[in-house]
Amino acid sequence: MEKVYSNKAKNRRKSNAESPKLRDEDVPDTIDNADESLSNLDHDQISSAIDSFIDELSTDDKTTSPELPDTVDTFVKIVESNIKAYNNIQSGIRFAKITKEDELFMEAIKRLSKLKIALGEFPNSASFNTIKQVLQLAIVLIEDEFRAILQDSNAPSETITKGAEPEWYNHDDFPGYSKKNVILMNKIASVMIPAGYQYECCLAYSEIRKYELDDQIKRFEFDKVSMEDVHKSKWVSLEPDITRWVKLTNHCSRVLFVEERKLGETVFSEHLPVFTGVFINLIRGITTSLLEFPTTVAIEKPKAKRLFKFLDIYESIRDLSVAIEESDSNDVKLEEYCNLKSEISIVGDTIGEVVVNMFNDLKQTISNDNNKTTVQGAVHPLTRYVMGYIKCAFDDYHNTLEHIFRKHVENEASSNMENSSLSQQLLDVIELLDANLETKSTSYKDPSLRYIFLMNNNRFVLQLVKETNEMKQVIGDNWCRRKSSDVRNYHKSYQRETWTKLLQWLTQEGIQVHGKPSRRVLKDRFKNFNAMFDEIHKTQSTWVVSDQQLLSEMRVSINAVVSPAYRSFIGRYKSQFEGSKSIDKYIKYQPEDIESLIETLFEGTEKVETQLNGIQALSTVKQTTGAFKNLLKTYKNVGLM
């Protein structure tokens, strides 16, 4: 891609106030005649003589203008000749091979600079002005080369796919340079800065690198969003913007800023404090622009269901801060650096407070949910919604949430070593959910169904916590044991309410009349048992226990109570009806039939199963985007949002 720079950007160089820039035609005509004779001189001997002269100047009292040896004039003419020769070569390839002659030219500019500095106390001398003019010509030459090399980056230009969210970031996806060109830029910077041209060097680097970085930002096609746009937009239209912003910000913090810092620290390896200022100025504009978006979207006070997008934003801001912190490798505390860190911190705190408010919004939603929809004792959509929400948060954002709540929530419980701020938040959410479920259970007039409902929901909560390692670690084993005890108690209450009542028809009490089993009593017992069992089976086969392990445990426990009692009762009193035509009327079921029918309990009706299929819990956190959205839609469809 052709790079076009403004004349202002390309030609803007700070000149020494006392002397204007020199052009090639300003070089004396005698240079043309001197070229051939200069090439035959011993350059090493001349360089050594110049070094000795500079040393002498540094030790003299400098009360009078020193007499310059002929070697100084010869040395200046050699440099002038080299400048003219290099100016005849196209910029960008003048030092392409970094030959011995190129190295000698760079060293010659350094000597010329030292010579100028040494003669600086005699600025009105003709020799000083000549040296200064030639030095400026040399600096103009190498600055032009510096700019040309900077413009020759291997910058990627393809647009970043909008829908793609890379799980890793390619550090080659950066406008860098060949190793040879980086070495050459380092040599040029190491000449310009000691020579007093730090401003020109930094300006050239900053202008072109800013252009390169801005070009990379444009690849993400992220458009700024105003406060008015956010206010008018629906959330569904903002989500793609957030996704692009997160991707762009992560690319800046993980690739652009990291690689830019490495590049600059190599180019300015001998002047790292200088580069620190350059680097901060380079990334400040990008960073400030990036921070405008989260500040804008946070103003709308998003609902709890937007938590995950805002956690992505928070993590991106955190990584941005880390990238800036790493640039402070030389302990340079520039005001701009401190201001930039402060700006990032303020926006990060704003998003952290939004996340805390989202959790409070979730708590409020749970507390205020008074939906009376019954689900045949199954796991309620509110339970699935809340626990799915929490699971997603813990699976991917556990450490981030812990950091946010420690920083932004003042909680007495958090000072307790057993409870972190995050664990207290989780306990608060589950306690509110428990209270809400307890209230919802009163909608079931059948006590047995009420206990099934409470058992199902508490079991679901328990299993989800136990299956999520981060959640289990935060909430602790004591809580898990208490919740397991609650589930067992609901199970026992259900058994007592349903099957203990059924088994009263199989007791021995009252059967013996005058020392013998009474057929009339037995007929009533079998008749009542059959009627109650039929009603239990008819009703409870439509109830739902979706947890397969719990379903199996319940059927086994019911059979363990009912089957032996019924088998024993049949075995003892079946003979009382043998030979009777009405035996099938009273002994309606064989023990095997009872066992088989118990195995069909809690399968749910087709209607209930269809409803539950629509609100399946998340199987893994990787389903967050699709399944969790479907879960929210189902929750809304059944009237819970």
Side-chain angles (χ1 to χ4, degrees):
M1 179 177 65
E2 183 180 0
K3 298 178 178 62
V4 181
Y5 295 85
S6 66
N7 290 332
K8 181 179 179 181
K10 293 185 66 176
N11 299 324
R12 186 180 168 198
R13 301 182 182 97
K14 182 182 178 184
S15 300
N16 199 313
E18 309 91 65
S19 62
K21 293 181 183 177
L22 299 181
R23 299 165 296 174
D24 288 343
E25 54 265 32
D26 293 327
V27 179
D29 294 336
T30 54
I31 293 177
D32 293 333
N33 300 326
D35 288 348
E36 184 176 352
S37 60
L38 292 174
S39 63
N40 297 323
L41 297 174
D42 187 338
H43 289 211
D44 290 339
Q45 185 177 0
I46 292 174
S47 296
S48 178
I50 294 296
D51 290 340
S52 297
F53 179 66
I54 292 172
D55 290 340
E56 289 176 11
L57 287 176
S58 63
T59 57
D60 287 349
D61 56 8
K62 300 178 184 179
T63 54
T64 58
S65 177
E67 182 178 349
L68 272 63
D70 293 339
T71 51
V72 171
D73 183 58
T74 303
F75 173 69
V76 171
K77 288 180 179 180
I78 291 174
V79 175
E80 287 178 321
S81 177
N82 288 336
I83 292 171
K84 186 171 183 179
Y86 279 118
N87 272 327
N88 290 328
I89 303 173
Q90 180 183 344
S91 60
I93 60 172
R94 288 167 176 148
F95 310 112
K97 297 181 180 179
I98 314 182
T99 62
K100 181 180 179 181
E101 288 74 14
D102 297 335
E103 298 275 7
L104 290 174
F105 179 63
M106 292 292 182
E107 291 299 321
I109 298 175
K110 290 181 180 180
R111 285 190 179 87
L112 199 63
S113 171
K114 292 177 181 178
L115 195 57
K116 175 197 165 188
I117 294 171
L119 293 171
E121 293 190 14
F122 310 99
N124 296 322
S125 65
S127 300
F128 175 80
N129 287 328
T130 300
I131 291 170
K132 184 172 65 173
Q133 290 172 349
V134 173
L135 175 62
Q136 188 168 342
L137 273 177
I139 294 298
V140 169
L141 171 71
I142 61 175
E143 181 190 346
D144 185 58
E145 191 69 10
F146 193 53
R147 286 179 174 272
I149 296 170
L150 281 166
Q151 292 175 23
D152 188 29
S153 73
N154 52 356
S157 58
E158 67 279 4
T159 301
I160 301 295
T161 305
K162 291 185 178 182
E165 282 193 80
E167 295 182 2
W168 53 272
Y169 292 83
N170 185 1
H171 284 249
D172 293 331
D173 196 15
F174 171 75
Y177 303 91
S178 66
K179 184 176 180 180
K180 180 190 70 175
N181 278 349
V182 172
I183 293 173
L184 184 52
M185 285 191 288
N186 171 263
K187 290 181 179 297
I188 293 174
S190 298
V191 170
M192 290 184 70
I193 294 175
Y197 292 86
Q198 175 179 315
Y199 174 85
E200 288 81 356
C201 182
C202 293
L203 179 63
Y205 187 91
S206 297
E207 284 181 346
I208 299 174
R209 288 310 299 169
K210 182 180 184 303
Y211 179 93
E212 296 286 356
L213 293 177
D214 287 345
D215 223 28
Q216 295 305 301
I217 300 298
K218 293 174 184 176
R219 294 173 60 208
F220 287 81
E221 297 186 344
F222 176 77
D223 299 324
K224 287 187 177 181
V225 180
S226 68
M227 194 177 302
E228 185 179 357
D229 293 334
V230 172
H231 185 69
K232 291 181 179 180
S233 300
K234 294 183 178 179
W235 179 259
V236 68
S237 64
L238 283 176
E239 279 191 324
D241 290 326
I242 291 178
T243 299
R244 279 194 292 275
W245 181 90
V246 168
K247 188 194 305 183
L248 168 59
T249 305
N250 288 346
H251 185 70
C252 286
S253 61
R254 301 177 190 181
V255 179
L256 291 185
F257 290 0
V258 172
E259 294 302 317
E260 187 64 37
R261 179 168 51 81
K262 289 179 181 177
L263 171 65
E265 287 179 350
T266 303
V267 172
F268 294 90
S269 62
E270 296 181 21
H271 306 278
L272 290 178
V274 172
F275 173 68
T276 299
V278 172
F279 179 72
I280 293 301
N281 287 329
L282 268 178
I283 66 174
R284 181 176 53 193
I286 296 174
T287 303
T288 300
S289 179
L290 287 174
L291 294 177
E292 290 176 1
F293 178 73
T295 303
T296 302
V297 296
I299 293 174
E300 284 299 296
K301 297 181 180 179
K303 299 294 184 181
K305 56 187 175 182
R306 314 304 182 196
L307 173 71
F308 306 109
K309 286 295 183 183
F310 275 83
L311 284 171
D312 288 338
I313 291 174
Y314 186 88
E315 290 185 341
S316 295
I317 294 173
R318 177 199 62 197
D319 292 346
L320 197 61
S321 179
V322 171
I324 302 300
E325 291 285 351
E326 289 176 351
S327 70
D328 189 28
S329 56
N330 299 296
D331 296 324
V332 178
K333 301 297 183 182
L334 299 176
E335 182 180 356
E336 295 86 349
Y337 170 78
C338 296
N339 290 341
L340 187 58
K341 286 202 301 183
S342 176
E343 187 176 351
I344 296 172
S345 177
I346 289 171
V347 177
D349 288 345
T350 299
I351 300 302
E353 290 168 2
V354 169
V355 169
V356 172
N357 290 335
M358 285 176 162
F359 255 77
N360 292 334
D361 182 54
L362 173 66
K363 294 177 188 177
Q364 196 66 34
T365 299
I366 298 170
S367 298
N368 294 341
D369 187 276
N370 56 3
N371 187 277
K372 302 299 182 182
T373 301
T374 57
V375 286
Q376 295 299 88
V379 178
H380 197 277
L382 177 64
T383 306
R384 292 185 183 273
Y385 170 78
V386 171
M387 295 309 297
Y389 183 101
I390 296 298
K391 174 178 169 56
C392 289
F394 269 80
D395 277 342
D396 270 3
Y397 305 100
H398 168 230
N399 292 332
T400 300
L401 285 169
E402 183 70 69
H403 174 78
I404 289 173
F405 285 117
R406 283 191 182 278
K407 186 173 184 180
H408 296 282
V409 178
E410 293 182 4
N411 195 322
E412 293 180 2
S414 64
S415 63
N416 187 330
M417 293 300 291
E418 296 181 0
N419 285 334
S420 67
S421 297
L422 182 56
S423 68
Q424 190 59 50
Q425 293 293 321
L426 178 57
L427 288 169
D428 289 347
V429 168
I430 293 179
E431 285 175 5
L432 287 169
L433 178 61
D434 286 343
N436 189 287
L437 292 172
E438 189 70 33
T439 301
K440 291 185 187 305
S441 71
T442 60
S443 300
Y444 296 100
K445 304 307 179 185
D446 186 334
S448 296
L449 183 55
R450 177 174 181 268
Y451 291 127
I452 289 290
F453 173 78
L454 290 171
M455 179 178 60
N456 265 326
N457 283 270
N458 279 269
R459 169 77 171 215
F460 182 84
V461 172
L462 174 63
Q463 290 301 109
L464 206 60
V465 169
K466 291 171 70 174
E467 291 169 5
T468 308
N469 290 333
E470 292 81 3
M471 206 184 302
K472 184 180 178 183
Q473 290 174 4
V474 165
I475 206 166
D477 291 333
N478 289 336
W479 179 90
C480 291
R481 283 191 287 270
R482 289 195 299 270
K483 184 60 74 172
S484 295
S485 177
D486 290 341
V487 173
R488 286 194 299 272
N489 289 335
Y490 290 133
H491 188 182
K492 290 177 182 178
S493 297
Y494 160 76
Q495 291 269 50
R496 184 169 57 252
E497 190 65 36
T498 301
W499 302 104
T500 300
K501 289 183 178 180
L502 176 68
L503 293 179
Q504 70 181 350
W505 302 114
L506 303 181
T507 62
Q508 303 300 318
E509 185 179 351
I511 292 179
Q512 299 289 332
V513 177
H514 304 302
K516 294 196 295 189
S518 169
R519 273 192 93 200
R520 182 183 63 79
V521 174
L522 287 172
K523 286 180 181 181
D524 288 341
R525 292 289 185 90
F526 276 110
K527 183 178 179 181
N528 289 327
F529 176 88
N530 294 337
M532 182 175 280
F533 183 80
D534 287 344
E535 182 61 28
I536 290 172
H537 182 266
K538 178 183 176 181
T539 302
Q540 298 193 16
S541 61
T542 66
W543 297 356
V544 177
V545 176
S546 52
D547 186 300
Q548 292 300 308
Q549 182 179 349
L550 179 60
L551 176 62
S552 176
E553 291 173 357
M554 288 189 65
R555 287 171 174 173
V556 168
S557 66
I558 293 169
N559 262 320
V561 172
V562 177
S563 181
Y566 185 70
R567 189 179 296 275
S568 174
F569 197 79
I570 286 284
R572 179 172 295 187
Y573 299 113
K574 183 178 181 180
S575 61
Q576 299 294 322
F577 297 94
E578 287 181 350
S580 171
K581 294 180 180 180
S582 59
I583 185 172
D584 293 337
K585 179 179 178 181
Y586 299 106
I587 305 180
K588 184 177 180 180
Y589 300 110
Q590 295 301 314
E592 294 78 12
D593 299 329
I594 295 292
E595 293 171 358
S596 297
L597 289 170
I598 288 173
E599 289 298 317
T600 64
L601 295 174
F602 316 118
E603 291 185 345
T605 62
E606 182 178 351
K607 181 179 179 181
V608 173
E609 288 176 338
T610 301
Q611 182 189 35
L612 291 176
N613 286 337
I615 52 175
Q616 286 297 314
L618 300 175
S619 57
T620 65
V621 73
K622 298 304 180 184
Q623 295 172 312
T624 300
T625 302
F628 193 65
K629 286 182 179 178
N630 292 334
L631 183 62
L632 295 176
K633 180 185 285 187
T634 304
Y635 189 80
K636 184 175 182 179
N637 290 340
V638 297
L640 295 170
M641 283 184 62

